[in-house]
Amino acid sequence: MLSLASCHTQGSSLSPDKQLQAGRYHMQLGLAYLSQENHTRAKQKLLTALQLAPDSAEVNAAMGYFLEKTGALPEAKGYYEKALALAPTSGTQKNNLGAFLCRTGSPHKGYLLLQQAGQDIHYINSAMAYENAGFCAEILHHHKQSLHCFQQALLQDPSRTVALSELVKLALQAKQAPMALHYLKKHMRYVKRDPALLALGVQAAKAAHEDGLALVYQHYLQHLSMGSNHEHDRIAI
């Protein structure tokens, strides 16, 4: 099936819509090759995508991601910035550039962009943007902002266990074990399936001197390691 990738590489023979469609197709192939660490093929497909759709924000962002992954950070930044310039109201592109800036030493600018992406009601992955903003705030040692961002991430998507884990860790660092337990109990549906969160639950319960609750978390942790999902193993919290 990959032999189809050689078709339609000359943009001049395609209508604008078909050219954009072909560009996205090559972009997807390029990202697939990148995930397989086949960098030569990934670069080839992404360059073809750019030739076909030079004004596509997502294609430019994909090239930025490739360049970031392969260590060409200044060039990556240029493509991320171009993607946002092409789609200045896009939550996706604000998240992409913001996360890149946070990862590469410009957390102040990155945080602002991620906040904007999180607040965008039209952006499907706003919870992810808030989660990224939380990590960016941690880099800046802005603990209140970090707490707020992780809370917003969970409000928008309660299944984001990474945000939940960070909230629990922040509460424990602040010597607020009862608050850590509050977060865990509120999202127990996800906690009982996650060994890392259960381990944090044991830690939080012991810090709060709730030995019985610590045993409950240990029970779930033990049965997870045994691969047990039987209904009679449930414990109400």
Side-chain angles (χ1 to χ4, degrees):
M1 293 180 65
L2 293 180
S3 62
L4 294 174
S6 62
C7 299
H8 304 305
T9 57
Q10 296 300 315
S12 59
S13 64
L14 301 172
S15 69
D17 287 345
K18 290 292 185 180
Q19 197 166 320
L20 177 60
Q21 184 179 0
R24 287 173 174 168
Y25 173 70
H26 282 275
M27 176 197 73
Q28 290 167 358
L29 281 177
L31 292 175
Y33 280 125
L34 180 60
S35 70
Q36 299 167 7
E37 298 187 348
N38 188 338
H39 291 175
T40 300
R41 292 289 283 168
K43 187 174 184 179
Q44 179 188 38
K45 294 302 173 189
L46 289 169
L47 287 172
T48 300
L50 278 172
Q51 181 184 13
L52 288 162
D55 294 327
S56 165
E58 60 181 328
V59 169
N60 278 275
M63 177 56 82
Y65 182 67
F66 169 82
L67 291 169
E68 179 185 0
K69 285 293 185 181
T70 54
L73 298 185
E75 294 81 0
K77 182 182 178 184
Y79 278 101
Y80 281 127
E81 289 176 336
K82 183 179 178 182
L84 182 56
L86 288 166
T89 64
S90 168
T92 298
Q93 303 312 330
K94 288 177 182 178
N95 177 76
N96 287 342
L97 178 56
F100 170 80
L101 291 173
C102 287
R103 289 192 294 265
T104 56
S106 299
H108 289 281
K109 293 180 180 179
Y111 177 76
L112 292 175
L113 284 170
L114 291 168
Q115 278 278 69
Q116 292 173 23
Q119 293 166 1
D120 184 351
I121 61 172
H122 301 292
Y123 180 36
I124 295 174
N125 294 317
S126 56
M128 178 180 65
Y130 267 123
E131 189 175 278
N132 287 337
F135 283 114
C136 209
E138 284 189 345
I139 294 172
L140 293 165
H141 304 291
H142 292 170
H143 301 302
K144 288 184 179 180
Q145 290 92 328
S146 181
L147 189 69
H148 170 75
C149 290
F150 289 130
Q151 288 172 337
Q152 288 298 312
L154 277 181
L155 279 174
Q156 296 190 16
D157 182 359
S159 70
R160 297 201 74 85
T161 54
V162 172
L164 176 57
S165 176
E166 292 303 312
L167 277 176
V168 173
K169 290 176 184 177
L170 286 171
L172 289 172
Q173 290 170 9
K175 308 295 183 183
Q176 295 178 351
M179 181 58 69
L181 290 176
H182 167 75
Y183 294 134
L184 291 166
K185 290 177 183 179
K186 186 176 179 180
H187 299 89
M188 193 60 194
R189 173 184 176 185
Y190 305 102
V191 171
K192 63 185 180 182
R193 299 198 298 257
D194 190 302
L197 285 171
L198 288 170
L200 284 172
V202 173
Q203 181 183 346
K206 288 182 177 179
H209 306 292
E210 294 195 28
D211 295 336
L213 186 54
L215 289 173
V216 171
Y217 287 120
Q218 286 175 334
H219 174 90
Y220 275 117
L221 192 56
Q222 184 177 30
H223 279 265
L224 259 188
S225 64
M226 294 168 58
S228 174
N229 289 310
H230 300 301
E231 286 293 318
H232 63 261
D233 286 326
R234 281 187 169 179
I235 296 178
I237 294 183

